[in-house]
């Protein structure tokens, strides 16, 4: 590795005999990613506005390919991976080259990364409306696209670490640490959560089932927020905020603690998405504890960002870049205050499944990600085109439209969420439910759904103003690439890697950690002795480390910052510790807890086909399948869900939102005719429902030739189908379909037994109960509304 | 309570060990970082501010 001399900023001559070299940055790649982010940001917000309209006005579900259940994943994937994804890539390529004083290692790999990522986005935009989904939130894309994501991500990683290896600046600035954590962790999350067994070219089943799938999915889902929407944007904050404020970050020391604490703690917090569910208590408790611990590093980082503006607050009035950054960081503070709050079990019991969570998420997405993106674009684009911003007034207009839009959006969702949570649990003095029909709670919040749409549209208009402003800026200038003159000297690394890996702080920490870890296997008396000794050694050791330092010698962490590979290895360990310690026990321990007498038995072939339709249509986005241990839930939905109820569910369908009622005990509640009518026209049996109609299922056919392959795939991942059951799958499916079709015919409805409508009814009648003796029929009472 | 937890699996010691490890790392990092003067980090903190926006058309 070569190193740049300290004198490069004021090149009065090369010290140490260094050679002057001019570096030309590859800024074209940043320009491309900015443009892609702006375009896909508009697409994502249009999809979001469409989904918001569908919730307020059901006729907007005019085509089943873009009905809410398929449009919502398109919106979330576009917002996360297309809008924010392209934005962080723009920031990473632009800032990394400058922080390392070197051009990106390979222009070709950067191009492949860009076009590969856009191809994945297009594949998502085509496949999701066509109903190809794995049924896991924010990880819906089917297995071939998952593989493409992994390949493109590896290409990005190779190029990034190759650039690190050829850097001319020895020191790794804090922004780069966050980029490293992002690259490593997203790869791990994506690969583990996407493990699946393919059935066909665009169909697969998650390797994990039931509670394990829930834990893996939300370990992924939560950390997609953490390591895709947060850590890279924090890196961007640490680079562009000081740039825009023209002063260094408030506290570099705080950034050090912010980084290590954040990446270690964040990875554990996933189970807070599954509080009060059938997930084992120990895993829920871990989620609560680490979520509350997250308050500290999150706010440490937020304050570090805001306080960087100390002495520069006056600039906020005139500089749109700082305006967006200050507001973005403030929204980050609000969202990261609210996140741990929502992770307290009592608060979660009220907020979970309600619109409160939607409000929380959009505070982060629109406020933090959207405003940080805008600030970065307004700073970067004029410089990428060698000009000034076309209009500061338009940027100000964007800021106010966006801010008002967010406040309307969040206000609507908070009111809606509180209302839903309180109405669901409200009891009469005699102990009965005050609002026994679910749709009452939906009608109560209907005005808030319109208000949310208005807020979202205002934000979208602001974003369009930004797109116009940036386009005019680019047209007024000319694409230019930044350069820097560096004095490259052949300098040996500051330290040998062994000095870092086996440095005194590492050995010290390992020793204390081993002592504390031994507490778990020692008896009470020995534990007290070891714990006391550990505390004593920790205090004395810390003092000794401090006293023994040599004046002027670089600190251990400073040496670490000069060793990119070791730094990456330590980051990986910090991230993996949480994942391994949480997931491995869950995957190994949970199955034992699922083998009670009432645990779920495998689905019949037709029920499995129906379940695939349920997943395809995104029913889980509005209907949970998890009855929590609260009186108001058991009164409304039935017995509390147990861990064994969903052990063969690949993927799990516990859900995260209740726009409609929970379906965990839906089986047998209503006759087949009710389901037929409800699916064809939900309002025919539930006045006021906003559910999309699924009448098209009556004309679409199930391909029973593939049923055998589906059962075979399920057996591969642990569902105990016998060879006989698999061999007779198609016949058995048709036989069960004929039974349901006959039952409907008896009620005066002629429907073909081979249709998807019949398969879905079979699944709905099965949820939450095991097969009953053939003589026990579903209830014939005419249930109308609930 | 702990005995009851571990009867499910001895692997449940893993989260406790990891938490202890984090505590040790965190404690050490805080002590080490704040034992140094803030000025020690000035050069590193100024890295983004260096003038590297010369133009190349």
């Amino acid at each position: 590795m070569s190193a740049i001399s300290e004198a490069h900023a004021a090149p009065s001559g090369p010290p140490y005999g260094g050679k002057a070299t001019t570096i030309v940055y590859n800024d074209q790649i940043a320009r491309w990613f900015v443009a892609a982010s702006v375009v896909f940001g508009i697409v994502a917000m249009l999809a979001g506005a469409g989904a918001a309209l569908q919730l307020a006005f059901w006729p907007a579900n005019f085509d089943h390919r873009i009905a809410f259940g398929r449009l919502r994943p398109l919106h979330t994937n576009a917002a996360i991976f297309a809008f924010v994804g392209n934005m962080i890539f723009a920031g990473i390529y632009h800032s990394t080259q400058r922080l390392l004083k070197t051009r990106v290692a390979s222009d070709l790999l950067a191009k492949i990364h860009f076009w590969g990522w856009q191809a994945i986005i297009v594949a998502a935009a085509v496949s999701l409306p066509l109903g190809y989904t794995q049924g896991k939130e924010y990880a819906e894309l089917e297995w071939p696209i998952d593989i493409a994501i992994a390949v493109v991500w590896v290409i990005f990683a190779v190029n990034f670490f190759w650039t690190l290896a050829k850097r001319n600046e020895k020191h790794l600035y804090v922004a780069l640490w966050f980029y490293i954590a992002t690259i490593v962790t997203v790869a791990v999350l994506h690969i583990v959560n996407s493990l699946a067994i393919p059935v066909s070219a665009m169909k697969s089943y998650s390797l994990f089932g039931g509670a394990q799938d829930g834990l893996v999915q939300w370990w992924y889902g939560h950390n997609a927020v953490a390591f895709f929407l947060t850590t890279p944007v924090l890196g961007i904050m640490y680079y562009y905020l000081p740039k825009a404020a023209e002063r260094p970050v408030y506290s570099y020391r705080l950034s050090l603690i912010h980084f290590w604490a954040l990446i270690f703690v964040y990875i554990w917090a996933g189970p807070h998405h599954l509080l009060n569910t059938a997930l084992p208590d120990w895993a829920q408790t871990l989620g609560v504890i680490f979520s509350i611990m997250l308050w500290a590093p999150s706010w440490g980082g937020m304050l570090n960002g805001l306080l960087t503006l100390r002495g520069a607050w006056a600039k906020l009035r005139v500089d749109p870049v700082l305006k967006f950054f200050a507001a973005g960081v403030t929204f980050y503070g609000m969202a990261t205050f609210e996140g741990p709050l929502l992770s307290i079990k009592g608060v979660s019991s009220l907020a979970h499944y309600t619109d409160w969570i939607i409000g929380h998420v959009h505070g982060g997405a629109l406020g933090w990600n959207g405003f940080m993106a805008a600030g970065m674009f307004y700073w970067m684009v004029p410089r990428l085109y060698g000009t000034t911003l076309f209009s500061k007034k338009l940027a100000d207009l964007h800021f106010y439209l966006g801010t008002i839009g967010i406040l309307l959006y969040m206000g609507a969702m908070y009111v809606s969420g509180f209302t839903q949570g309180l109405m669901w649990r409200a009891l009469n003095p005699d102990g009965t439910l005050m609002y026994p029909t679910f749709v009452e709670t939906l009608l109560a919040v209907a005005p808030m759904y319109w208000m949310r749409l208005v807020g979202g549209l205002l934000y979208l208009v602001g974003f369009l103003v930004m797109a116009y402003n940036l386009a005019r800026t680019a047209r007024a200038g000319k694409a230019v690439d930044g350069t820097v003159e560096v004095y490259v000297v052949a300098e040996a690394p500051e330290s040998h890697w062994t000095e870092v890996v086996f440095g005194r702080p590492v050995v010290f920490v390992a020793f204390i950690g081993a002592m504390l870890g031994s507490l778990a296997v020692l008896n009470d008396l020995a534990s007290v002795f070891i714990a006391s000794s550990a505390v004593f050694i920790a205090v004395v050791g810390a003092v000794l480390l401090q006293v023994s330092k040599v004046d002027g010698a670089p600190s251990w962490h400073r040496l670490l910052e000069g060793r990119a590979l070791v730094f990456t290895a330590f980051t990986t360990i910090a991230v993996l510790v949480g994942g391994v310690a949480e997931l491995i026990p869950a995957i190994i321990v949970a199955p034992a807890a699922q083998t009670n007498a009432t645990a779920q038995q495998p689905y019949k072939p037709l029920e499995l086909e129906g379940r695939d339709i349920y997943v395809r249509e995104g029913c889980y986005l509005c209907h949970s399948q998890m009855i929590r241990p609260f009186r108001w839930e058991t009164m409304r939905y039935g017995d509390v869900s147990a861990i064994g109820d969903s052990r063969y569910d690949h993927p799990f369908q516990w859900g995260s939102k209740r726009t409609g009622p929970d379906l965990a005990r839906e089986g047998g509640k209503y006759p087949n005719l009710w389901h037929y009518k409800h699916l064809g026209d939900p309002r025919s049996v539930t006045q006021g429902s906003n559910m999309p109609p699924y009448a098209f299922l009556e004309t679409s056919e199930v391909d029973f030739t593939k049923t055998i392959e589906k059962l075979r795939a399920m057996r591969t991942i642990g569902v105990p189908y016998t060879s006989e059951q698999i061999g007779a799958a198609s016949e058995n499916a048709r036989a069960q379909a004929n039974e349901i079709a006959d039952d409907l015919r008896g009620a005066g409805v002629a429907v073909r037994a081979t249709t998807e409508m019949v398969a879905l009814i079979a699944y709905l009648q099965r949820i939450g109960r095991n097969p009953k003796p053939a003589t026990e029929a579903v209830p014939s009472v005419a249930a109308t509304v609930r | 309570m702990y005995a009851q937890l571990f009867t499910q699996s001895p692997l449940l010691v893993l989260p406790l060990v990891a938490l202890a490890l984090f505590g040790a790392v965190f404690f050490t990092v805080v002590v080490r970082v704040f034992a140094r003067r803030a000025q020690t980090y000035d050069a590193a903190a100024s890295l983004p501010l260096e003038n590297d926006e010369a133009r190349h058309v």
Side-chain angles (χ1 to χ4, degrees):
Chain A
M1 187 194 75
S2 56
I4 187 171
S5 80
E6 292 290 335
H8 64 265
S12 57
Y16 319 119
K19 187 178 74 175
T21 305
T22 300
I23 306 285
V24 180
Y25 299 132
N26 177 353
D27 284 342
Q28 184 61 33
I29 195 68
R31 279 187 285 272
W32 286 357
F33 274 118
V34 168
S37 176
V38 173
V39 169
F40 286 123
I42 294 168
V43 172
M45 288 170 211
L46 277 172
L53 177 65
Q54 288 170 335
L55 288 172
F57 181 65
W58 70 264
N61 295 282
F62 53 85
D63 187 306
H64 71 271
R65 280 157 294 210
I66 50 168
F68 182 80
R70 297 194 190 186
L71 187 60
R72 196 265 195 178
L74 189 65
H75 162 60
T76 52
N77 278 275
I80 298 170
F81 302 109
F83 167 49
V84 180
N86 280 314
M87 170 258 186
I88 62 175
F89 294 140
I92 289 173
Y93 277 111
H94 184 263
S95 62
T96 297
Q97 294 182 85
R98 284 158 173 78
L99 284 169
L100 298 178
K101 303 280 186 291
T102 189
R103 187 181 174 90
V104 63
S106 167
D107 292 348
L108 177 63
L109 288 183
K111 276 183 190 169
I112 295 173
H113 174 203
F114 176 82
W115 289 111
W117 196 255
Q118 310 318 313
I120 287 165
I121 292 167
V122 171
V126 172
S127 66
L128 290 172
L130 290 177
Y132 297 114
T133 172
Q134 290 189 324
K136 297 176 71 157
E137 287 184 71
Y138 323 124
E140 287 91 349
L141 303 179
E142 266 298 354
W143 68 274
I145 308 175
D146 275 345
I147 292 174
I149 292 170
V151 169
V152 171
W153 196 263
V154 167
I155 287 169
F156 167 47
V158 166
N159 208 10
F160 180 86
F161 288 112
W162 188 2
T163 308
L164 279 186
K166 64 188 276 287
R167 68 189 187 273
N168 288 314
E169 166 58 55
K170 182 170 54 190
H171 188 93
L172 298 183
Y173 179 67
V174 55
L176 296 164
W177 314 346
F178 281 101
Y179 300 160
I180 290 171
T182 300
I183 292 170
V184 169
T185 314
V186 169
V188 173
L189 294 168
H190 173 69
I191 290 169
V192 174
N193 190 49
S194 300
L195 292 174
I197 181 92
V199 179
S200 62
M202 285 299 278
K203 174 69 188 168
S204 63
Y205 292 123
S206 170
L207 190 63
F208 307 103
Q212 291 106 319
D213 196 40
L215 188 62
V216 171
Q217 157 62 22
W218 284 113
W219 169 75
Y220 162 88
H222 176 75
N223 288 300
V225 174
F227 288 90
F228 203 89
L229 300 177
T230 304
T231 53
V233 186
L234 283 170
I236 283 166
M237 177 192 85
Y238 272 117
Y239 180 77
Y240 292 100
L241 186 56
K243 274 281 201 200
E246 296 177 320
R247 57 199 63 219
V249 65
Y250 170 68
S251 169
Y252 199 80
R253 296 188 295 179
L254 184 56
S255 72
L256 249 153
I257 294 165
H258 174 208
F259 173 77
W260 287 107
L262 193 83
I263 66 161
F264 186 94
V265 175
Y266 234 135
I267 202 85
W268 295 76
H272 71 209
H273 292 259
L274 299 169
L275 295 182
N276 303 305
T277 68
L279 188 75
D281 270 351
W282 64 265
Q284 294 187 40
T285 305
L286 273 180
V288 172
I289 292 171
F290 279 90
S291 299
I292 291 172
M293 283 167 66
L294 262 178
W295 251 321
S298 298
W299 269 54
M302 182 271 288
L303 290 171
N304 212 6
L306 276 187
L307 290 173
T308 300
L309 294 170
R310 72 200 185 287
W313 289 104
K315 288 186 183 176
L316 258 66
R317 285 199 294 273
V318 292
D319 185 354
V321 173
L322 286 179
K323 212 173 276 181
F324 275 103
F325 279 158
V329 174
T330 304
F331 275 113
Y332 174 67
M334 286 165 61
T336 56
F337 178 83
E338 193 181 23
L341 181 77
L342 288 165
S343 302
I344 297 168
K345 274 191 168 181
V347 182
S348 173
S349 74
L350 177 72
H352 195 38
Y353 301 125
T354 74
D355 284 321
W356 184 348
I357 307 302
I358 314 301
H360 166 64
V361 166
H362 283 81
L366 302 176
W368 164 241
N369 291 124
F371 275 15
M372 291 302 288
M376 187 184 86
F377 294 157
Y378 283 130
W379 190 90
M380 191 192 283
V381 169
R383 287 164 175 80
L384 289 175
Y385 288 92
T387 183
T388 54
L389 186 64
F390 170 69
S391 169
K392 278 190 177 183
K393 282 188 176 171
L394 283 180
D396 282 342
L397 176 65
H398 171 202
F399 177 79
Y400 289 113
L401 283 172
T403 304
I404 295 168
I406 296 172
L407 295 179
L408 280 176
Y409 191 111
M410 291 178 69
M413 290 298 94
Y414 284 146
V415 171
S416 175
F418 298 158
T419 306
Q420 288 169 325
L422 292 173
M423 287 180 81
W424 292 346
R425 64 170 61 193
L427 299 177
N428 291 310
D430 65 356
T432 55
L433 288 171
M434 193 175 284
Y435 306 101
T437 54
F438 187 91
V439 76
E440 287 180 86
T441 68
L442 175 70
L443 293 172
V445 301
M448 293 300 106
Y449 284 5
W450 286 107
M451 183 169 154
R452 178 241 306 265
L453 178 61
V454 171
L457 286 174
L458 275 179
Y459 192 91
L460 173 58
V461 170
F463 199 84
L464 289 169
V465 169
M466 179 191 77
Y468 172 75
N469 204 356
L470 294 180
R472 290 296 300 262
T473 304
R475 278 188 61 188
K478 187 179 173 188
V480 291
D481 292 347
T483 65
V484 65
E485 192 174 13
V486 298
Y487 290 99
V488 179
V489 293
E491 185 182 308
E494 204 167 15
S495 62
H496 193 263
W497 66 270
T498 52
E499 289 179 52
V500 180
V501 174
F502 301 109
R504 283 184 298 180
V506 179
V507 173
F508 176 64
V509 163
F511 184 68
I512 300 292
M515 288 183 80
L516 293 173
S518 70
L519 301 184
V521 292
L522 296 174
N523 63 36
D524 289 350
L525 185 64
S527 292
V528 171
F529 175 73
I530 294 289
S532 307
S533 303
V535 171
F536 177 75
I537 293 171
V539 172
V540 173
V543 171
L544 285 177
L545 278 176
Q546 191 56 32
V547 169
S548 65
K549 73 176 184 182
V550 180
D551 282 343
S555 68
W556 176 82
H557 200 276
R558 167 74 201 211
L559 297 179
L560 177 65
E561 290 165 32
R563 310 284 327 191
L565 192 61
V566 180
F567 192 100
T568 304
F570 275 26
T571 302
T572 310
I573 291 169
V575 169
L576 286 182
V577 163
V580 169
E582 199 168 66
L583 293 185
I584 288 184
I587 289 167
I588 292 172
V589 177
Q594 295 179 350
T595 53
N596 56 51
T598 58
Q600 185 188 35
Q601 293 173 26
Y603 290 108
K604 290 179 180 177
L606 185 67
E607 294 158 0
L608 187 63
E609 290 287 1
R611 188 171 194 277
D612 286 346
I613 297 162
Y614 183 95
V615 170
R616 184 189 73 194
E617 299 307 328
C619 305
Y620 60 94
L621 296 167
C622 291
H623 294 283
S624 58
Q625 289 187 25
M626 175 51 59
I627 302 169
R628 298 176 297 172
F630 303 124
R631 186 177 168 198
W632 67 85
E633 297 231 337
T634 54
M635 290 171 74
R636 188 183 298 278
Y637 302 123
D639 290 344
V640 175
S641 294
I643 192 169
D645 290 351
S646 52
R647 62 174 168 170
Y648 297 134
D649 279 1
H650 298 263
F652 84 121
Q653 291 288 284
W654 292 2
S656 64
K657 176 71 174 53
R658 287 178 184 157
T659 303
D662 186 277
L663 301 181
R665 306 274 175 217
E666 183 71 3
K669 266 190 183 172
Y670 304 101
N672 293 330
L673 179 63
W674 186 93
H675 285 293
Y676 170 81
K677 286 186 170 179
H678 183 246
L679 288 168
D681 177 11
R683 279 140 299 275
S684 68
V685 291
T686 308
Q687 281 298 318
S689 167
N690 66 349
M691 181 171 139
Y694 288 95
F696 77 94
L697 296 175
E698 207 175 339
T699 54
S700 52
E701 302 277 327
V702 176
D703 183 359
F704 287 114
T705 61
K706 291 184 177 158
T707 311
I708 290 176
E709 283 309 312
K710 290 182 175 179
L711 265 72
R712 194 170 282 141
M714 281 290 185
R715 184 167 71 175
T716 308
I717 51 180
V719 182
Y721 286 118
T722 64
S723 298
E724 290 73 30
Q725 285 172 324
I726 293 173
S730 298
E731 292 75 34
N732 289 343
R734 288 176 190 277
Q736 191 183 5
N738 285 331
E739 282 177 27
I740 294 171
D742 287 345
D743 179 64
L744 287 170
R745 196 170 298 114
V749 173
V751 58
R752 283 198 312 281
T754 51
T755 59
E756 292 189 331
M757 175 71 83
V758 171
L760 184 53
I761 291 174
Y763 171 64
L764 291 170
Q765 293 288 24
R766 170 63 196 280
I767 306 176
R769 63 178 196 163
N770 283 320
K772 295 284 193 298
T775 52
E776 190 178 326
V778 292
S780 57
V781 289
T784 51
V785 294
R786 60 185 157 162
Chain B
M1 188 184 76
Y2 289 115
Q4 191 186 5
L5 182 70
F6 292 130
T7 53
Q8 295 180 55
S9 169
L11 278 174
L12 289 176
V13 74
L14 273 176
L16 297 177
V17 173
L19 180 60
L21 184 66
F22 167 69
V25 171
F26 185 76
F27 175 76
T28 308
V29 169
V30 170
V31 169
R32 298 273 299 171
V33 167
F34 281 95
R36 289 178 177 270
R37 292 184 310 125
Q39 289 74 13
T40 312
Y41 299 95
D42 278 354
S46 300
L47 276 172
L49 303 178
E50 290 169 5
N51 180 20
D52 48 16
E53 295 303 326
R55 295 289 145 211
H56 171 85
V57 180

